[in-house]
Each structure stands twice: as structure tokens, then as C-alpha cells.
Amino acid sequence: MTRFLVYTAPATGHALPLVPGLLELRRRGHEVHVRTLPALVAPLRAAGLSADAIDPRVTAVEVTDFRATSDTERLRSGQVDLMRRGEFDGPDLDAAIAEHRPDVLLVDAIAYGAQTRAQASPLPAAMVLPSVLPVRGRGVPPYGLGLKPLSGPLGRVRDAVGWKLVERMFGKAMLPGLNALRRESGLPEFRSPLDQFTAQDAVIVLTGEPLEYPRTDLPAHVHLVGAQPWDLPAERPAYLDEPGDPWVLVTCSTDYQGDEDLARVAVEALRDQPVRVLLTLAEAYEGAQLASAGNIRVERFAPHGQVLPHCAAVVTHGGFGIVSKAMAAGVPSVVVPFGRDQPEIARRVTEAGAGVTLRPKKLNAASLRAAVERARGLTPGAQAAAARLRAHGGAARFADVAEGLGARAGAALTH
């Protein structure tokens, strides 16, 4: 039996994708404790996991990138805020280690202080990444720009130059704060933001083809374990069983990103169309100021896993959680990427033939209505993508990789 300590960033979309793999570890007889967003503690306990809340000082630091007026400022401000969280999530991980005495650490990729403290500890540790992999690879376009893969000599030149530019751009935003955290922990400084992926015992990436590009040169310590959708337990909404037109699910981020305009435009675009529209607005619920009327239904939350089988399409900001759920369900998506990892996720959906991308600057009622129609025509491609995504092993593969770290911890104790 291995004791696992799991530390997540304070974001629902970074915690829920871990649950199937963690429950599989519990089923195999291991002890699993999760330090996470306060609102998730009770549901995770109800699911059978030990859980408690992260230090409230972590959640008190707001990530303000949605207020930025340019892509450069969005990247800078987001990373500055995450590094400020690192001042608190690092000591919080230390406290959790002292309390739970784990054998293995599983730490969220954007909990930078906790990541740093995990590397400073003697324990085997893995970075867990519920998104696409921002690491160079043969034929993989530069990360963050949503570029289409390009083959041949021209593609190789574009990618070589582009990766250098991306590395410099992310380095400018990340390295000052990240290296300050590393100095405080007695660790050598990183020269590149990509170093954080090579400094790990393991990197567990909660995705696979076609949400991830084919990787022919993946380092041995990086594991693609497949997308693992999981919903908070909820009663099935009665409206799903009412007869009527097919549903279009429109989602805003569970981690507030100022994306209310997507919901407002969706109402204008799809009102009185031959579909029923379900808006799940999460933290944008109050700010959007929308009400149910006609074929529009407005909810703060709905169990997406129960809704998706009834959907003809999904309209989303491009968060990894909803995109992976939609792809796993074989439902085509319209992705309107506002920032963060969303342009990359949107590109993967398009390349997989599982949906379409609509740039925020082109978002209006007419363009969104047309995008939904195009997406609905891609249902066969979305279903084929679902079959490919399911082939990556899911919770069992996640648990296999984690158990490998546990075996390493056991071997260390015998020497």
C-alpha cells in the first residue's frame, strides 16, 4: 500500500479530471489524500477520497488575466498571479506532507510553489497536467498560438523559430517568479520555462490523441494517460427527459475568465432556432444577467456528463474539461478561445475534425449561428475522435503510472 498526497490548484477544472485515476488507486488498495479547492472537499469525500482544503491564502490571490487588453499582458498578469499563489501553496504542501506523511506526491502543474517544494523534497513526485502538453516534439507547432501543424522544410523552419520565440515569451513572464520560488527552496534556477517539464520524476498528462498531437519522441518520464471526464454528483435534470428539439450546451469557465459575452451572443444567435439551448454559466452567472425564456435555459451548473448525450453541439470557451468531455462523448464543439491554453485546445479540436474554432474578435450572432451549423455537420468526425481518445487507457493507465512512482518509493526504503 502506497500513501499518495495530491495537491491541486484552486480550480475545478484542474481537480475533477484527476478523480477517476485517484478512485482507481483507492480501488487498488492505496491511500489517497487530496488537498484542493474548499468547495470540492465534501464532494470528494462523498466519492470515497480523503480530502481537505488548501490554505485560504492561496484562493485569496485572484488570477486577473481576463482584465488584460493584450495577449502579452494576459500572459504576464496570469503568471504573476500564479507565482503569488506559489508563495502560499508551497508552504501548504510542506504542511500537508508533515500531516499525512505520504510516499508519493502528485502535484498540479500550475501550483508552482507546491511544484517547487515537491522537487525540493526527497519524495518521488509527479506533475499532473489536465491539459495539452506544452513541450517541443517532432512536428508539434509552437505552443500557445493555436498554429496548424505544418510539414516539410517550411514547417520545420517555422517550428524551430517559433518555439524559440514562445520559449522567450513565456520565459519573460514566468522565470522571474518561478526562479524566486526555486531560490527560496534551495533549488537551481531554470534557464527556460520548459525546464519545469524535464525536472520531474514523472509528468502525467490527462489527455491523448487526438486532443494531443502524435508524439514520436516523447521523453520516457512523460505519460499521456487519456482524458478522464468526471462530474460532481448531481440529480439528473428532469428537463433532459422532456420531448423537444436537440440541445446545444453553451458553457462558461468554472474558473472565472470574464467570458460572459459568449453566453450573451449565444442567446442572440440561437434564440428561436430549432434547438434548445442550455447555458451553464458557473461564476459568470450573476454577471451575465441572463434569464430562461423560450428555447433558452439558464443554469449556474448542470451535470455535463448527463447533458452531453442529448446534445447536437457544444459551444465553449475552450476549457480543457468541457472540451475533453465533449470529445469523449462524440459531440462536436464550437470553441471560442479567450486565452490561457484555449487557443491550443481549439486547434486540436479543429485538427481532429471534431469541431470548429471561432476567434473572439469575430464572435457575433451571425458568425456563431453559422459555426454551430458547421459543427453539427461534423458529428461523424467527433464520434471518430471519441473512439481515438478512449484508446489511451484512462483511469487504469493513470493508476499504473502513479503505482510506478510508489514502487520507486518502496525500493528507496529497502536500500
Side-chain angles (χ1 to χ4, degrees):
M1 187 271 286
T2 301
R3 289 192 300 273
F4 291 91
L5 173 61
V6 186
Y7 196 97
T8 84
T12 303
H14 279 247
L16 298 192
L18 302 179
V19 173
L22 300 182
L23 290 175
E24 175 63 14
L25 287 172
R26 286 281 295 117
R27 189 191 69 78
R28 296 183 185 188
H30 302 294
E31 184 178 321
V32 180
H33 183 81
V34 186
R35 199 96 149 186
T36 192
L37 194 66
L40 297 180
V41 170
L44 293 188
R45 288 176 178 173
L49 295 170
S50 169
D52 64 7
I54 57 178
D55 188 325
R57 292 177 297 175
V58 179
T59 55
V61 178
E62 185 182 18
V63 178
T64 58
D65 56 349
F66 62 89
R67 297 187 185 129
T69 57
S70 70
D71 290 341
T72 301
E73 176 58 23
R74 184 175 295 111
L75 173 62
R76 190 203 68 80
S77 63
Q79 293 301 327
V80 166
D81 293 336
L82 290 174
M83 298 306 165
R84 286 182 57 226
R85 282 182 173 176
E87 298 173 20
F88 306 113
D89 63 38
D92 193 32
L93 179 70
D94 288 341
I97 291 171
E99 180 181 352
H100 296 287
R101 300 178 63 82
D103 303 306
V104 174
L105 305 174
L106 304 177
V107 183
D108 193 293
I110 64 168
Y112 291 114
Q115 276 288 339
T116 302
R117 297 306 303 153
Q119 290 173 33
S121 86
L123 298 171
M127 171 192 285
V128 288
L129 176 62
S131 186
V132 296
L133 182 62
V135 171
R136 283 192 184 95
R138 191 176 298 116
V140 176
Y143 177 83
L145 306 175
L147 296 177
K148 182 180 179 67
L150 189 60
S151 60
L154 182 59
R156 288 193 292 273
V157 171
R158 183 205 68 176
D159 293 348
V161 173
W163 271 107
K164 288 181 180 178
L165 293 175
V166 164
E167 195 171 354
R168 185 180 308 158
M169 178 177 65
F170 276 85
K172 215 180 219 187
M174 297 179 67
L175 287 180
L178 191 53
N179 281 334
L181 293 171
R182 291 182 66 78
R183 286 192 299 271
E184 291 170 8
S185 296
L187 296 174
E189 295 187 4
F190 286 151
R191 298 181 63 184
S192 162
L194 299 179
D195 289 346
Q196 62 186 311
F197 297 98
T198 60
Q200 308 288 335
D201 295 322
V203 178
I204 303 175
V205 189
L206 297 170
T207 188
E209 294 180 34
L211 261 180
E212 182 55 65
Y213 291 125
R215 295 277 185 166
T216 59
D217 52 355
L218 200 64
H221 73 289
V222 179
H223 307 272
L224 304 179
V225 300
Q228 299 173 45
W230 192 80
D231 278 319
L232 291 169
E235 186 176 347
R236 178 181 171 81
Y239 55 78
L240 291 178
D241 297 318
E242 296 172 359
D245 292 322
W247 289 93
V248 172
L249 173 64
V250 181
T251 72
C252 291
S253 176
T254 53
D255 183 23
Y256 183 72
Q257 294 181 29
D259 51 5
E260 297 97 330
D261 280 349
L262 179 58
R264 296 189 189 106
V265 173
V267 170
E268 184 181 355
L270 301 175
R271 183 191 295 122
D272 301 326
Q273 294 294 302
V275 294
R276 290 176 290 177
V277 180
L278 174 60
L279 305 180
T280 60
L281 303 183
E283 298 308 311
Y285 184 82
E286 280 83 13
Q289 297 183 329
L290 296 170
S292 300
N295 68 328
I296 307 294
R297 186 178 189 95
V298 181
E299 301 283 355
R300 181 185 291 274
F301 293 105
H304 291 159
Q306 296 180 22
V307 173
L308 284 167
H310 301 272
C311 288
V314 171
V315 177
T316 173
H317 63 294
F320 179 78
I322 182 57
V323 167
S324 59
K325 286 178 182 178
M327 187 176 285
V331 180
S333 298
V334 176
V335 186
V336 186
F338 287 87
R340 303 184 183 180
D341 55 357
Q342 296 156 24
E344 282 301 322
I345 292 169
R347 170 57 66 183
R348 313 304 169 93
V349 170
T350 303
E351 292 300 312
V356 299
T357 297
L358 179 60
R359 298 298 176 190
K361 291 180 180 178
K362 295 185 177 180
L363 176 64
N364 57 53
S367 65
L368 183 57
R369 189 161 49 244
V372 169
E373 285 304 308
R374 290 200 308 275
R376 293 183 66 180
L378 294 174
T379 298
Q383 292 173 344
R388 292 176 64 195
L389 191 61
R390 286 195 297 267
H392 283 271
R397 177 64 180 141
F398 178 102
D400 289 345
V401 175
E403 282 185 325
L405 288 168
R408 185 183 306 183
L413 289 174
T414 61
H415 288 82

